[in-house]
Amino acid sequence: TAHSQQPTAHSTNSNSLRRTAMFAPKMKNLNKGSAASNHNSTQRKSITHSVHTQTTAGDDSEYSSNGNSTKDTSESFAADTDDDMTNLLCERMAANQLEEGTETEQSKLISRLVQVKNRRRWEIQDSILDVIGQTPIVRLQRQPIPEGVELYVKCENTNPGGSLKDRLAMGIIEWAEMTGKLQPGQTVVEASSGNTGVGMAMVCASKGYPFVCVMSEAFSTERRKLMRFLGARVILTPKAHKATGMVIKAQELADQHGFFHAKQFENEANAWIHETTTGKEITQAFARQQKKLDHFFMAYGSGGTMLGVSRAFRKAAAQDKNKSAEAAAVANTRLHLCEPTNAPMVSSNIPTKYPEHGYPSTSFDTAHPVWSPHLMQGWATDFIPKLLAECKSEKGYHSVHQVSGGDALLCSQRLAQTEGIFCGISGGGILSAAIRHAQTCQPGTTILAVITDTGERYMSTALFDDIPLEMTEEEQALSNSTPSMAPPAPPALHGILPDNTDDLFGM
């Protein structure tokens, strides 16, 4: 596989996922050539000071690359992190990659200083943000796949906001804080089909930022209510304007009112939070079990998850497989991208063209020519996100699988009724593609699919069309099989309960 090596931040031992990331100096004033190279020693000192003074190690045991339990000290971690960070800086400076005012390069450097620490979720946490990530990987036992094929799901529906996008929200907000793009009390605005909006609403509520979500009226009503319950304001755009209209409206609001626009479809912090958390968790999980992951399935959405995970896998695979369990786990992993059957934009190989200086920067003249409405909310907007285009240019995935809405619905329902895992249409669609591929695999093959969100935000959608509200005939017959005797009347007691007590049976 033609992959370029991308260094990643180290993960360390602790009981919390760090919310306050380390500050790194802005890189706007760096010039090309010798000036950038001569800046190395000063920048190295700054990064070293930042890492050593702000990094601590916890007491939890961690597994080394060969699977053995080890204990890290703050000094050894800081030294390792310092080497990784400063080497990355020097390499990019020497390669003249740090151009003045380049936002993406700044976000790469800064986002890589966000340290992810292992912790136990059941322990006391300082904030709800401390329980984002570290989601479980579960082996499925009752799916229609050949005997000997191992099928796993990474349950991102267990994040506190109910979806994978909690990670994105935390990463972008942390990055904006570190770069000074987000000021205390400033309003955050983002275009979202709902999951990013819910994650942003949760993170902003925890951190004290007002949040405005711009969402098409086509998406489920539960998402609007969830965000508003979390204190967000929700601006609805016409269904006919599609996702492009959402992005344009969000930029309009940012320009008019001075809001911080998160820009999930192009913000590099989106990819890096998945490189340093999601991808790292997967490599560590399979390495600790001494398993090789053969196939990884994910839909693209904003493009950040596939881009970040692919980079994490490349980073691990670049190590010596004879010495690193993580390298052995993902060295030959094939990454599979899922898209809707009736919106095969990636398969069409027709790119979305972005103007260098447009209004807004994420807009374009027309929607993608092969896009059409589909059931998988958040899977495929009417344009190819910049992060996904970057993933393709890096050869971040190996194949594309198309999934119908009907298959996604059936797989979501089957997963709930056979495994007890409650997921939305998106997760069902990804798992559907994984199962279809598993049916062609030999025994011993290991497959991982991502369950992106919970099913509760789909109750007003086609996912629940066949789920009745009243008793079915079978349920009524079962009820009628016993007399349904009334409970005995309570004794007449007075003066015990206040007069305004809620009567739950009369509400």
Side-chain angles (χ1 to χ4, degrees), residues 264-265 270-271 274 299-308 385 387-389 391:
Q264 62 168 315
F265 299 105
N270 178 354
H274 289 295
Y300 62 84
S302 66
T305 305
M306 185 60 85
L307 179 56
L387 294 178
L388 181 63
C391 185

Side-chain angles (χ1 to χ4, degrees), residues 11 152 165 225 318 450-451 456 467:
S11 67
Y152 297 85
K165 295 302 183 74
K225 291 185 176 182
V450 178
I451 300 300
E456 290 183 352
I467 307 300

Side-chain angles (χ1 to χ4, degrees), residues 364-384:
F364 37 85
D365 294 334
T366 59
H368 199 282
V370 303
W371 185 89
S372 62
H374 53 85
L375 289 177
M376 282 74 80
Q377 296 185 20
W379 257 38
T381 56
D382 58 317
F383 56 89
I384 301 291

Side-chain angles (χ1 to χ4, degrees), residues 128 147 220 351 405 418:
I128 191 64
E147 185 176 356
S220 67
T418 62

Side-chain angles (χ1 to χ4, degrees), residues 86-338:
T86 53
N87 288 341
L88 174 65
L89 283 167
C90 295
E91 288 170 5
R92 291 182 181 239
M93 289 175 187
N96 300 326
Q97 293 179 351
L98 294 177
E99 298 184 13
E100 182 175 353
T102 303
E103 178 178 321
T104 55
E105 288 299 324
Q106 290 183 37
S107 66
K108 287 180 182 180
L109 295 170
I110 295 170
S111 295
R112 296 182 58 78
L113 297 179
V114 179
Q115 302 304 316
V116 181
K117 294 190 172 185
N118 295 327
R119 77 275 183 259
R120 299 180 179 91
R121 273 189 162 191
W122 49 262
E123 293 182 327
I124 296 174
Q125 311 290 347
D126 291 332
S127 164
I128 191 64
L129 304 185
D130 288 343
V131 294
I132 294 175
Q134 300 293 336
T135 54
I137 294 177
V138 178
R139 182 176 180 180
L140 302 184
Q141 304 289 342
R142 302 176 61 197
Q143 299 305 301
I145 59 176
E147 185 176 356
V149 174
E150 297 182 9
L151 177 59
Y152 297 85
V153 290
K154 186 163 179 60
C155 296
E156 291 297 307
N157 55 340
T158 63
N159 276 306
S163 85
L164 173 77
K165 295 302 183 74
D166 290 359
R167 298 178 188 258
L168 174 159
M170 186 186 68
I172 289 180
I173 295 300
E174 296 273 322
W175 167 83
E177 290 174 331
M178 289 185 289
T179 57
K181 296 180 181 298
L182 178 60
Q183 301 300 318
Q186 186 179 6
T187 297
V188 177
V189 64
E190 179 60 317
S192 169
S193 63
N195 281 335
T196 295
V198 172
M200 280 286 183
M202 177 189 68
V203 172
C204 287
S206 178
K207 286 179 166 286
Y209 298 108
F211 175 62
V212 174
C213 180
V214 179
M215 186 172 72
S216 170
E217 62 185 0
F219 298 119
S220 67
T221 57
E222 294 91 338
R223 300 171 187 228
R224 307 178 200 174
K225 291 185 176 182
L226 280 170
M227 285 184 279
R228 287 171 175 149
F229 194 83
L230 286 164
R233 288 170 286 174
V234 180
I235 306 300
L236 299 177
T237 58
K239 181 179 180 180
H241 290 184
K242 301 183 283 295
T244 305
M246 292 164 31
V247 174
I248 291 173
K249 184 66 173 180
Q251 187 64 52
E252 289 176 350
L253 292 171
D255 292 339
Q256 178 68 25
H257 302 286
F259 296 164
F260 168 71
H261 188 185
K263 296 185 179 181
Q264 62 168 315
F265 299 105
E266 61 181 88
N267 195 323
E268 292 284 357
N270 178 354
W272 265 268
I273 198 67
H274 289 295
E275 180 182 358
T276 56
T277 65
T278 316
K280 190 69 174 178
E281 290 168 23
I282 293 169
T283 57
Q284 287 182 338
F286 281 88
R288 292 177 186 183
Q289 296 293 321
Q290 297 184 336
K291 291 181 178 293
K292 294 181 179 180
L293 177 60
D294 297 303
H295 302 280
F296 173 78
F297 281 79
M298 178 61 195
Y300 62 84
S302 66
T305 305
M306 185 60 85
L307 179 56
V309 169
S310 67
R311 286 172 173 169
F313 284 7
R314 290 199 299 270
K315 166 72 174 180
Q319 303 174 47
D320 187 340
K321 286 183 286 187
N322 295 322
K323 297 181 180 179
S324 169
E326 290 187 23
V330 298
N332 298 309
T333 303
R334 295 186 61 82
L335 290 86
H336 303 267
L337 192 71
C338 302

Side-chain angles (χ1 to χ4, degrees), residues 12-18 56-60 116-120 123:
T12 64
N13 315 325
S14 178
N15 299 329
S16 65
L17 180 60
R18 175 161 304 186
T56 58
D59 296 328
D60 296 342
V116 181
K117 294 190 172 185
N118 295 327
R119 77 275 183 259
R120 299 180 179 91
E123 293 182 327

